[in-house]
Amino acid sequence: MLIDRFGRRITYLRLSITDRCDLRCRYCMAEEMTFLPRAQILTLEEIATIARAFVELGVEKIRVTGGEPLVRRGALELLEELGRLPLKELVLTTNGMRLAQCAERLVRAGVRRVNVSLDSLRPERFRHITRFGDLERVLAGIEAARRAGFDRVKLNAVILRGVNDDEVVDLATFAIERGLDISFIEEMPLGVIDSHDRRQAFYSSDEVRADLARRFTLLPTTDRTGGPSRYWRVAGSDSRIGFISPHSHNFCGDCNRVRLTVEGRLLLCLGNEHSVDLKRVLRRWPGDADRLKKAIVEAMALKPERHHFDLREQPIILRHMNVTGG
Ligand code: SAM
Ligand code: SF4
């Protein structure tokens, strides 16, 4: 079992399987990005080996993310392999651009839930935010996911003042009409971006909730998915509305997760640089599962108590979300 030094049980691993992406969302990446050289990134076999070690140590849930996971060649085969591990939940976060082609195979692989990023329902604006996104393709991906039989499909929307804050109700309505969940996310200061001032664009979860309360009756729930989302239900619907509020409501107290970057760094916290280089362990002692597990167990001693995001300062975390694995 993995217990950190604050007594929190770690049961959830987020696996970033690529830092690359076919989009360049303005809150996530700068227009010009340098990606990691191939030799520095874990092979799919190495990722599977690390995942297996975590599961043997008691991890019950794996989320595959990136970058855009579905752009990596072999991603579906990796998901199939992860689907054979004794997990309670295998989930995927995607931008939806390739979801229409993959949805059924993902369900067959054992992916139970999928999160799709959707920040706008207006084609022009969607293109503006994502730089290369095609709203129609993403909507087709969401439709395919609904039909394919996932347990839940959830939308993720990062709300930015002056960019898409006028779409909060429309996005929620879109989700509710289709029986989907939706989470509204406050932008986090990860990586240096060039398109907006994060302080000015900050739109708090409380503001989003106030927008929603003008249209819907929101009922508080105690639902937690073991993550940072706090959920509300909408009266008369099955949909849940979540809020991920790193600024306004610190979510670290019951943190149960760690992240593996595609370079094989085990990140102990989204908002800190504390990490352990598992790739080094893996490549120095290939095939030595015990040594890998020992490194993972020891890493738990480094897990910080909480993040310290501060919008007034330059980002202290220079890695972008595509590297962190959102
Ligand atoms: N490409 C996939 C996608 O877009 O869903 C998976 C990776 S992406 C980094 C995961 C999530 O992180 C997305 O929902 C995205 O909106 C969110 N995200 C990216 N940069 C962020 C930031 N600076 N602050 C808050 N959320 C961010
Ligand atoms: Fe790509 Fe996801 Fe980042 Fe957008 S949020 S640039 S889709 S990794």
Side-chain angles (χ1 to χ4, degrees):
M1 209 193 282
L2 288 175
I3 309 273
D4 78 0
R5 64 198 170 103
F6 300 101
R8 295 172 295 196
R9 186 166 166 224
I10 307 304
T11 54
Y12 180 7
L13 173 66
R14 295 176 79 106
L15 270 182
S16 173
I17 66 164
T18 179
D19 62 334
R20 283 152 217 264
C21 188
D22 41 357
L23 307 186
R24 296 280 183 283
C25 302
R26 287 169 186 270
Y27 47 76
C28 180
M29 293 198 196
E31 189 153 16
E32 298 294 327
M33 290 285 290
T34 316
F35 296 105
L36 295 163
R38 187 159 291 274
Q40 266 182 41
I41 68 171
L42 295 176
T43 64
L44 295 176
E45 291 73 26
E46 287 171 329
I47 295 174
T49 300
I50 295 179
R52 208 171 305 116
F54 270 98
V55 173
E56 286 169 14
L57 287 167
V59 157
E60 299 168 340
K61 172 172 171 182
I62 292 182
R63 174 177 301 283
V64 171
T65 179
E68 172 49 37
L70 297 180
V71 302
R72 179 149 185 189
R73 197 173 310 142
L76 291 172
E77 288 76 8
L78 174 67
L79 282 153
E80 282 162 354
E81 185 156 356
L82 298 178
R84 288 191 280 273
L85 295 173
L87 286 165
K88 283 196 184 146
E89 244 188 340
L90 175 61
V91 293
L92 173 76
T93 304
T94 173
N95 63 26
M97 291 281 283
R98 295 168 188 230
L99 194 51
Q101 305 95 287
C102 307
E104 288 182 3
R105 192 163 160 198
L106 290 168
V107 171
R108 279 200 303 275
V111 178
R112 300 265 40 98
R113 294 195 290 122
V114 66
N115 287 1
V116 187
S117 294
L118 183 69
D119 302 320
S120 175
L121 292 164
R122 303 182 194 177
E124 285 307 308
R125 183 182 282 177
F126 186 79
R127 167 71 46 114
H128 170 78
I129 296 172
T130 59
R131 292 199 177 100
F132 300 105
D134 177 348
L135 179 63
E136 220 169 287
R137 264 178 76 174
V138 175
L139 296 182
I142 293 170
E143 265 319 297
R146 285 180 65 205
R147 284 195 305 270
F150 291 100
D151 291 348
R152 306 267 337 159
V153 178
K154 180 163 81 90
L155 307 178
N156 278 337
V158 176
I159 301 298
L160 303 175
R161 186 181 305 282
V163 176
N164 61 348
D165 56 318
D166 55 347
E167 280 193 78
V168 167
V169 168
D170 289 353
L171 286 162
T173 305
F174 177 90
I176 291 165
E177 284 174 349
R178 289 162 183 77
L180 313 175
D181 294 337
I182 183 164
S183 280
F184 291 99
I185 306 175
E186 290 176 356
E187 186 184 12
M188 296 173 224
L190 296 178
V192 176
I193 53 162
D194 51 8
S195 70
H196 58 271
D197 178 333
R198 282 181 160 141
R199 271 170 308 179
Q200 281 170 15
F202 179 64
Y203 199 74
S204 73
S205 292
D206 290 342
E207 290 171 279
V208 172
R209 204 166 44 251
D211 293 342
L212 293 171
R214 283 192 274 279
R215 176 68 66 87
F216 307 107
T217 305
L218 296 180
L219 310 168
T221 76
T222 50
D223 297 4
R224 298 296 296 242
T225 54
S229 274
R230 291 165 305 121
Y231 284 102
W232 299 68
R233 278 195 183 271
V234 180
S237 109
D238 282 343
S239 296
R240 289 183 309 177
I241 300 192
F243 297 92
I244 301 180
S245 326
H247 297 289
S248 53
H249 300 275
N250 186 283
F251 50 56
C252 306
D254 47 4
C255 181
N256 62 352
R257 65 194 49 205
V258 290
R259 293 157 202 270
L260 183 73
T261 74
V262 72
E263 325 150 80
R265 266 210 299 157
L266 180 65
L267 288 175
L268 283 316
C269 172
L270 176 65
N272 283 279
E273 289 294 2
H274 303 65
S275 70
V276 169
D277 186 355
L278 294 184
K279 182 177 66 193
R280 197 182 56 80
V281 179
L282 210 55
R283 292 192 179 171
R284 180 135 177 231
W285 292 285
D288 191 341
D290 287 340
R291 206 179 277 262
L292 177 63
K293 283 196 246 177
K294 186 162 172 282
I296 294 170
V297 170
E298 284 171 4
M300 296 304 126
L302 296 177
K303 190 163 166 59
E305 189 172 10
R306 51 162 298 177
H307 70 70
H308 297 277
F309 289 142
D310 188 342
L311 283 173
R312 286 158 305 183
E313 292 173 8
Q314 280 301 308
I316 47 167
I317 303 299
L318 292 178
R319 59 188 144 72
H320 290 83
M321 191 63 133
N322 67 308
V323 171
T324 298

